[in-house]
Amino acid sequence: MTDLRIGIAGITGRLGSLCAQEAGTALSGGISRHPIPEEHITSSPDELAQRSNVIIDVSNAATILRHAESFSRHHCAWVLGTTGLDDAAQKAVIDASHHIPVLQAANFSPALTIFLDLARQIGAALPDYDAEIVETHHRQKLDAPSGTALAIGDAVAQGRGVTLKDVARTDQNGLRPDGAIGFASLRGGQVVGAHDLMLLAADEEITLSHRALDRRVFARGAVHAARWLAHQQPGLYNMADTLRTTR
């Protein structure tokens, strides 16, 4: 594909604006609740999909059903970074992947992608250790636990052969159940994102940590994913797929 055209859903947000900068001359426009026609920013996903090969979606969960239908209809690849999806929205994502290539990721950082693989391995290797995930974000963040924290928990659960929703513990009251995967969320200041996975036993503990120092790491990762996804067949992909084929 010689004429790559990248659209940004949520282009006026913090991450969306950085993705637009990283896309450079490949930027085809964006979606926002407040259209700016002279900058090719529209409120219509159909309009953006018509002029794009791939769309990076960092908008919000309420838009997912509409975006899934629109991007599928216009055969536009979809890099989805929006988190907090309910069951209906997640089903729409999976259904869309039967028609277009979809890359879904809670975090576009290459290092965090490796972190998730390590979390899966350590969950399998230390099944009897207490797993606790502590995440810190800026004071404006609305969801807790963060999508990245949940992705880490899911990786540990996969390693242990269990389903995260069956073992997740977000309420710290009461005795800690055996096998639980705990979450603690801190909010304050302008922290970009910090995640710690702690595996604790009676006589030792191990901690994996990731710190995002600049949101541009997410924007670069998202644009890299978009460039990769534009050449793929329909299916559901993740960030690890982009690393396996480029390293």
Side-chain angles (χ1 to χ4, degrees):
M1 184 181 297
T2 57
D3 185 20
L4 181 65
R5 301 183 303 278
I6 301 174
I8 313 292
I11 193 169
T12 56
R14 285 185 174 188
L15 181 54
S17 60
L18 290 176
C19 288
Q21 293 174 29
E22 290 293 329
T25 58
L27 182 67
S28 61
I31 300 172
S32 171
R33 287 176 295 180
H34 307 290
I36 310 175
E38 61 272 21
E39 296 181 19
H40 303 291
I41 297 177
T42 177
S43 60
S44 168
D46 286 307
E47 184 179 334
L48 183 62
Q50 285 177 326
R51 60 172 181 253
S52 305
N53 306 120
V54 56
I55 290 176
I56 298 171
D57 191 343
V58 287
S59 54
N60 62 78
T63 67
I64 297 303
L65 295 179
R66 187 181 180 196
H67 288 181
E69 191 276 331
S70 178
F71 302 161
S72 295
R73 182 168 61 250
H74 294 287
H75 306 288
C76 183
W78 188 14
V79 175
L80 177 59
T82 302
T83 58
L85 277 59
D86 60 18
D87 290 343
Q90 186 59 45
K91 182 180 184 301
V93 172
I94 294 171
D95 289 345
S97 73
H98 297 152
H99 307 284
I100 59 173
V102 179
L103 187 150
Q104 185 175 20
N107 191 301
F108 294 118
S109 156
L112 198 283
T113 301
I114 301 302
F115 186 114
L116 294 177
D117 188 47
L118 293 173
R120 196 172 296 108
Q121 294 180 49
I122 202 170
L126 303 173
D128 298 327
Y129 284 47
D130 294 331
E132 291 288 323
I133 298 160
V134 181
E135 54 100 351
T136 305
H137 282 88
H138 53 86
R139 67 196 317 271
Q140 292 87 3
K141 189 169 181 62
L142 299 178
D143 57 321
S146 69
T148 299
L150 292 171
I152 295 170
D154 189 57
V156 175
Q158 288 178 29
R160 293 181 170 182
V162 298
T163 302
L164 179 60
K165 66 179 181 180
D166 293 334
V167 297
R169 179 176 183 251
T170 56
D171 184 351
Q172 300 298 314
N173 291 318
L175 186 67
R176 189 187 198 285
D178 291 339
I181 297 176
F183 293 87
S185 299
L186 308 178
R187 297 289 178 266
Q190 294 302 312
V191 179
V192 174
H195 295 85
D196 297 299
L197 168 61
M198 305 172 66
L199 277 294
L200 305 102
D203 49 6
E204 67 172 353
E205 64 180 61
I206 182 172
T207 300
L208 298 180
S209 298
H210 179 267
R211 300 288 185 271
L213 306 179
D214 191 320
R215 285 184 182 83
R216 290 186 184 279
V217 71
F218 306 133
R220 285 193 296 269
V223 172
H224 166 75
R227 294 183 183 280
W228 178 87
L229 191 68
H231 299 276
Q232 307 308 312
Q233 296 298 312
L236 187 60
Y237 303 92
N238 58 40
M239 282 300 292
D241 293 317
T242 73
L243 297 183
R244 279 192 287 268
T245 57
T246 59
R247 296 191 175 204

